[in-house]
């Protein structure tokens, strides 16, 4: 399965970005993860085909994850961006996972990342 994410950019604090991810195959679970060099990768948001979602506490109320009905497209709407949101953002999908709130490595299909830079 091929994975393509896009939408990363450089914005000022308070700004908004929309990340998109497209999979060439079906995903039952999809998620966004982010990584900053020197720190552990963290899960930002996940979504399951039944629309159950999870969010990292620090992004609740600011980020919204969504999907299309095919299980092949996922989005992350990010508002109120803060400098601490700066990271490489990765999308991931898996056709078999049931509990989506798990590590990036548990996902079978993973993207190469799109960079988000938020300046103060």
């Amino acid at each position: 399965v091929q994975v393509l994410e896009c939408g990363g950019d450089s914005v000022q604090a308070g700004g908004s970005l929309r990340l998109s991810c497209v999979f060439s195959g079906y995903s039952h679970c999809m998620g966004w993860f982010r990584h900053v060099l020197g720190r552990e990768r963290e899960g930002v948001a996940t979504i399951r085909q039944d629309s159950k979602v999870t969010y990292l506490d620090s992004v609740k109320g600011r980020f919204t994850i969504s999907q299309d009905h095919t299980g092949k497209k996922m989005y992350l709407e990010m508002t109120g961006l803060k400098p601490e949101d700066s990271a490489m953002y990765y999308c991931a999908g898996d056709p078999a996972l049931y509990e989506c709130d798990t590590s990036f490595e548990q996902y079978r299909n993973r993207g190469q990342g799109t960079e988000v830079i938020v300046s103060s």
Side-chain angles (χ1 to χ4, degrees):
V1 174
Q2 292 181 321
V3 184
L4 180 63
E5 67 261 86
C6 63
D9 204 345
S10 181
V11 297
Q12 294 211 326
S16 300
L17 282 175
R18 187 185 197 222
L19 304 184
S20 300
C21 182
V22 179
F23 300 89
S24 62
Y26 170 81
S27 295
H28 187 254
C29 277
M30 292 184 278
W32 288 99
F33 299 80
R34 65 187 183 188
H35 184 232
V36 176
L37 282 176
R39 296 172 59 179
E40 288 190 7
R41 195 190 316 263
E42 57 184 1
V44 177
T46 68
I47 188 165
R48 199 166 64 188
Q49 271 303 293
D50 63 0
S51 298
K52 178 181 178 182
V53 298
T54 66
Y55 290 100
L56 182 68
D57 283 347
S58 62
V59 307
K60 286 179 180 177
R62 298 188 298 122
F63 291 10
T64 303
I65 190 171
S66 62
Q67 63 185 343
D68 77 337
H69 67 283
T70 66
K72 294 183 178 181
K73 294 182 181 179
M74 172 179 65
Y75 310 95
L76 186 67
E77 196 75 39
M78 304 188 293
T79 63
L81 282 162
K82 304 175 182 180
E84 51 264 44
D85 294 318
S86 297
M88 189 69 79
Y89 282 72
Y90 299 86
C91 72
D94 195 287
L97 278 177
Y98 184 74
E99 291 300 333
C100 306
D101 189 18
T102 186
S103 68
F104 183 68
E105 289 73 22
Q106 292 297 315
Y107 278 78
R108 193 171 309 182
N109 306 309
R110 296 169 282 187
Q112 296 299 307
T114 185
E115 190 170 20
V116 172
I117 300 172
V118 184
S119 56
S120 57

